[in-house]
Amino acid sequence: MKTRDSDTVKTDTERTSSRILEILDVKGKVTETGAMTSPCSDYDSAEKIYRARHPWSIYKAPFADMKKGMDRLRVELPKDGWKIVKDGMDGTQGNSPQIIAESKGREFAVDVRLHKEVKAEDSPPLLEVTVESACYRSK
């Protein structure tokens, strides 16, 4: 397992997120969050093993545009060095379309879900993205 600087990993995770946003190419509002570091659940917390996570969403965009963004991911991620490991429904109550991909070398994973509008709950359509780094030992 690599020993890395947490700030560098967070920066790399945000850079990877920006690339996913470019590929999606959906014009809407994007939540303003930065990458966060959290302990890797696969390891004992005393070992100082972490991963960076960058969750964000696109909203206030037409559902059809978000769907096209998902289609672009299916085509462009493999060209960009990613392997799609899941492309189907997420199994939640809303059964949203989901793409999970891992970068070449498995430094990063991305989980993208497309949520439909739910009028009864006043919930607009949403494209939810989480980019996660591989686990690393903190310097």
Side-chain angles (χ1 to χ4, degrees):
M1 175 174 309
K2 290 182 181 176
T3 299
R4 301 194 58 200
D5 174 68
S6 288
D7 288 337
T8 302
V9 176
K10 285 196 281 189
T11 299
D12 291 348
T13 303
E14 289 173 358
R15 197 174 295 130
T16 301
S17 277
S18 293
R19 178 66 185 131
I20 299 295
L21 182 60
E22 278 176 29
I23 293 170
L24 283 166
D25 191 27
V26 175
K27 305 298 179 236
K29 299 278 186 190
V30 179
T31 54
E32 303 272 336
T33 61
M36 302 166 281
T37 303
S38 60
C40 252
S41 58
D42 305 343
Y43 297 90
D44 178 359
S45 60
E47 289 187 75
K48 295 191 176 168
I49 307 293
Y50 299 97
R51 73 168 23 119
R53 292 180 43 119
H54 188 207
W56 51 275
S57 301
I58 300 174
Y59 60 103
K60 289 194 176 177
F63 184 78
D65 291 356
M66 293 182 190
K67 198 169 184 308
K68 287 178 188 168
M70 291 281 282
D71 290 339
R72 269 190 293 283
L73 283 180
R74 288 181 182 96
V75 173
E76 297 299 325
L77 282 176
K79 291 180 188 176
D80 220 38
W82 291 79
K83 179 182 179 188
I84 295 176
V85 296
K86 179 180 179 183
D87 186 356
M89 306 314 268
D90 68 2
T92 61
Q93 186 176 5
N95 211 21
S96 300
Q98 177 185 34
I99 295 172
I100 297 176
E102 294 175 347
S103 65
K104 189 176 183 181
R106 298 177 57 160
E107 297 94 358
F108 296 98
V110 64
D111 181 338
V112 183
R113 298 172 196 232
L114 177 58
H115 302 287
K116 291 184 231 156
E117 178 177 19
V118 181
K119 289 190 193 297
E121 297 172 17
D122 196 29
S123 177
L126 182 74
L127 196 55
E128 178 187 15
V129 179
T130 302
V131 175
E132 202 169 68
S133 76
C135 293
Y136 64 92
R137 183 169 277 108
S138 182
K139 281 188 177 179

